Amino acid sequence: MPTNQAVSLKNLLAKDEQFLASALYRVFHIVADRGEGSYLYTTDGQKYLDLTCGIGVTQLGHCHPEVVKAAQEQLAKLMHVSCVTHHTENIKLAEKLAGILPGDINNTFFCNSGAEAVDGSIKLSRYVNPGRPNIVAFRGSFHGRTLGATALSSSKSLHRKHYDPLLAGINFVDFPNCWQCPVFKDPNNCGLECLDLLTRMFKLNLPPESISAIIIEPMVGEGGYVPAPPHNQNPRFNYLKELRKICDEYNILLVCDEVQSGIGRTGKWFATEYYDVVPDVITMAKGIASGLPMGAFASKKKFMSLMPPGAHGSTFGGNLVSCAAALKTLEVIEKENILDYVSKTGTELIKHLESALKQKAKIRGLGFMLGIELASKELADKVVEECFKEKMLILTAGAEQKVIRFIPPLNIEKTLLFNVVDKIISFINKA
Ligand SMILES: Cc1ncc(COP(=O)(O)O)c(C=O)c1O
């Protein structure tokens, strides 16, 4: 006899199929009910260790009490005014962000998601560089699902199927992936020849003076968790610095999409800090408000001021409750010294994984944004399945879905973290 809980799970999934759009892919066919810290509890009474963080969002675990309290207090006080009036919460948050964003990036537009942030950055680039219709994006990257962000994305062709014509003027160049070098060089002995792919494009078909922006994820996320060099595989070259020089030479806006890598995920507020580079624009979303919807793009005041009032807008962007949650999220990350914990522990994790998995996997990443590339999708699926049996939720990434994607909460307890990693190592070794 099936239990009541099993029957109700079956019913819920049947209703989900009947009433919810099929376009939204779901990884695990369980129904979440509540969350606490690193754990997710389902309607059928199961407890899962959530190593997905709702795709890199719940940086402080589920329902961090201080964030919940801040959001609840704001909820009871004032939920929404849109742009009808000014309000304290987005002013406080924008000021806070100006303090943690790199270099002279000090002015922010708030929206509701990562894709919206990316779209906004395209609009900004058109204001800064009017009359320049082209944009350069990187093959393998993902920037979101709006039509603008879809046009910039190339991590899976399904994301673009049937949607042409998309935004015109997008030109793709290969990402500097040292684990699968686009110009077939040995990363230990190369001259950053992958950069020539871009400069050659300038010579052959894309005059640099026609480009308004170059957009890059400092660490490719959905496309397979691949950081741009320098990193453990190629410590000699700084790709982002070279890109910065090119952008300066031709007055092209350098946009770093930090929707996934930002807000402490890599052990710094923003991954670009590892590259000692200040981009012109940073996009952010995901972890900023611990799970309440929020996105943002930020740049220096000089550029942002070129967009006059009304040039861009959003009914819900910078919502008071999301802002209150974001302010508290940033405060807790600072107060609990989480960036330091994540950067140090991330380095230890990489070393541990490398020594345990030597020939079986390619290990890469920064902080708690780690990729474990396996030989095949079948192997990665097997590991995800074994984790699921052990009540651990974990995702994969990459066009071939063979990268195990390790994005635990930033405040996960260290002993638990290493226990989990050891389990994953044993699943990989057995698979
Ligand atoms: C780098 C990057 N940019 C943009 C997005 C889109 O964000 P959202 O799903 O909030 O629109 C994502 C989502 O995964 C992302 O990883």
Side-chain angles (χ1 to χ4, degrees):
M1 275 284 282
T3 62
N4 284 347
Q5 281 176 334
V7 172
S8 102
L9 175 64
K10 218 172 144 208
N11 287 344
L12 278 168
L13 292 178
K15 286 193 182 185
D16 180 306
E17 197 182 342
Q18 186 178 354
F19 295 114
L20 282 166
S22 58
L24 186 69
Y25 173 75
R26 249 64 64 79
V27 185
F28 298 103
H29 298 294
I30 51 179
V31 182
D33 183 40
R34 67 181 187 90
E36 197 181 322
S38 301
Y39 293 93
L40 201 60
Y41 298 79
T42 56
T43 50
D44 57 343
Q46 303 295 316
K47 175 183 176 185
Y48 292 90
L49 179 64
D50 185 3
L51 302 168
T52 76
C53 286
I55 321 195
V57 169
T58 52
Q59 314 286 65
L60 300 173
H62 291 286
C63 303
H64 189 283
E66 289 186 57
V67 178
V68 170
K69 186 165 176 278
Q72 278 172 338
E73 282 173 6
Q74 186 57 48
L75 204 56
K77 199 171 150 203
L78 183 65
M79 283 162 73
H80 179 76
V81 289
S82 190
C83 57
V84 175
T85 71
H86 296 257
H87 66 79
T88 49
E89 297 311 291
N90 63 0
I91 297 171
K92 282 193 276 182
L93 181 58
E95 185 180 11
K96 178 73 201 167
L97 284 172
I100 65 169
L101 279 157
D104 50 0
I105 302 184
N106 56 6
N107 196 269
T108 300
F109 183 97
F110 290 112
C111 49
N112 307 284
S113 68
E116 279 185 39
V118 167
D119 276 17
S121 75
I122 301 175
K123 287 189 179 175
L124 174 66
S125 77
R126 297 275 160 99
Y127 264 93
V128 176
N129 282 319
R132 292 184 174 208
N134 288 310
I135 293 177
V136 172
F138 285 83
R139 198 166 288 116
S141 295
F142 178 79
H143 299 288
R145 303 297 199 131
T146 56
L147 286 172
T150 298
L152 295 171
S153 298
S154 57
S155 62
K156 262 197 203 116
S157 62
L158 171 67
H159 296 169
R160 300 172 62 102
K161 195 173 174 182
H162 295 311
Y163 299 147
D164 279 319
L166 289 160
L167 184 68
I170 312 298
N171 301 267
F172 289 105
V173 69
D174 280 294
F175 187 84
N177 181 346
C178 296
W179 288 267
Q180 202 176 334
C181 176
V183 285
F184 308 104
K185 295 280 173 191
D186 171 1
N188 293 310
N189 191 19
C190 79
L192 204 64
E193 285 83 356
C194 54
L195 196 66
D196 298 345
L197 294 173
L198 180 64
T199 47
R200 227 173 117 70
M201 205 157 84
F202 289 177
K203 278 193 201 116
L204 299 184
N205 64 308
L206 189 70
E209 298 78 14
S210 72
I211 303 169
S212 56
I214 296 180
I215 181 163
I216 185 165
E217 291 173 86
M219 173 159 168
V220 162
E222 308 299 309
Y225 277 40
V226 190
H231 42 57
N232 54 349
Q233 188 79 357
N234 187 343
R236 291 168 307 127
F237 291 107
N238 188 328
Y239 190 88
L240 285 189
K241 265 203 171 156
E242 296 306 316
L243 215 50
R244 179 69 274 177
K245 280 188 216 155
I246 290 173
C247 287
D248 285 343
E249 187 178 348
Y250 298 107
N251 289 324
I252 299 169
L253 230 55
L254 178 60
V255 180
C256 281
D257 182 350
E258 294 244 27
V259 164
Q260 191 158 166
S261 57
I263 316 293
R265 175 51 59 196
T266 65
K268 299 218 184 265
W269 282 119
F270 296 95
T272 38
E273 293 169 55
Y274 280 103
Y275 297 88
D276 198 18
V277 155
V278 179
D280 296 300
V281 187
I282 286 191
T283 58
M284 62 205 110
K286 285 201 185 277
I288 191 167
S290 285
L292 288 184
M294 168 164 279
F297 64 95
S299 183
K300 56 182 111 174
K301 176 100 176 123
K302 182 177 122 189
F303 288 157
M304 296 291 270
S305 304
L306 295 171
M307 295 180 92
H312 193 40
S314 168
T315 300
F316 292 115
N319 165 271
L320 289 99
V321 183
S322 295
C323 284
L327 270 165
K328 191 52 80 175
T329 303
L330 301 180
E331 189 190 310
V332 173
I333 291 176
E334 243 166 10
K335 192 175 66 179
E336 296 184 3
N337 212 7
I338 284 176
L339 297 183
D340 203 38
Y341 172 65
V342 171
S343 64
K344 284 193 184 128
T345 314
T347 309
E348 287 173 35
L349 275 177
I350 291 196
K351 282 201 187 115
H352 185 63
L353 283 160
E354 276 180 338
S355 74
L357 290 170
K358 281 183 191 77
Q359 307 303 329
K360 294 219 163 174
K362 297 169 185 169
I363 314 297
R364 57 196 178 225
L366 295 163
F368 285 2
M369 187 171 174
L370 301 181
I372 307 168
E373 183 176 331
L374 301 178
S376 68
K377 176 178 177 344
E378 288 67 36
L379 219 53
D381 286 346
K382 184 92 191 113
V383 173
V384 172
E385 198 184 306
E386 289 301 317
C387 285
F388 187 69
K389 280 192 209 153
E390 291 272 324
K391 300 280 183 284
M392 302 186 325
L393 305 179
I394 198 159
L395 298 170
T396 55
E400 295 155 89
Q401 295 293 307
K402 60 178 185 179
V403 179
I404 299 287
R405 180 176 179 178
F406 197 64
I407 34 173
L410 305 185
N411 57 354
I412 188 171
E413 204 258 318
K414 195 164 171 180
T415 316
L416 173 63
L417 183 69
F418 275 84
N419 282 343
V420 163
V421 167
D422 283 336
K423 274 191 188 168
I424 295 171
I425 289 169
S426 79
F427 296 148
I428 293 173
N429 279 326
K430 268 193 248 148

